[in-house]
Amino acid sequence: MLKAREKDKDIWDDEEHYIIVDKIIKLLPHLNISFEKLSYCSGVLTIFKKRKNSHFPVIK
């Protein structure tokens, strides 16, 4: 997060809330979470309920 803030300091918004995937995974261990990185500071976060015998990829 600090790297992104420094790199984009001219457009950084201190009042914006930025989701950090590692923190979300720890906060929601009862859910299946995947993250597809799109750039150095963005991506697609997908959250599903866990199912028995699920083969959904969990990113850690």
Side-chain angles (χ1 to χ4, degrees):
M1 179 70 87
L2 295 175
K3 288 181 184 180
R5 184 178 186 171
E6 180 62 30
K7 181 176 168 80
D8 293 321
K9 61 186 167 192
D10 56 325
I11 60 171
W12 192 265
D13 183 353
D14 285 323
E15 294 181 15
E16 181 71 39
H17 297 280
Y18 298 95
I19 295 174
I20 300 174
V21 174
D22 295 338
K23 289 184 179 182
I24 296 296
I25 290 171
K26 290 177 185 176
L27 289 171
L28 303 172
H30 58 289
L31 299 173
N32 283 329
I33 299 174
S34 73
F35 180 74
E36 180 183 350
K37 186 176 180 177
L38 299 177
S39 72
Y40 82 95
C41 66
S42 70
V44 176
L45 181 68
T46 307
I47 302 173
F48 289 95
K49 290 182 182 178
K50 284 189 178 179
R51 297 183 192 169
K52 290 183 179 180
N53 302 320
S54 174
H55 298 291
F56 189 80
V58 177
I59 308 300
K60 291 189 178 186

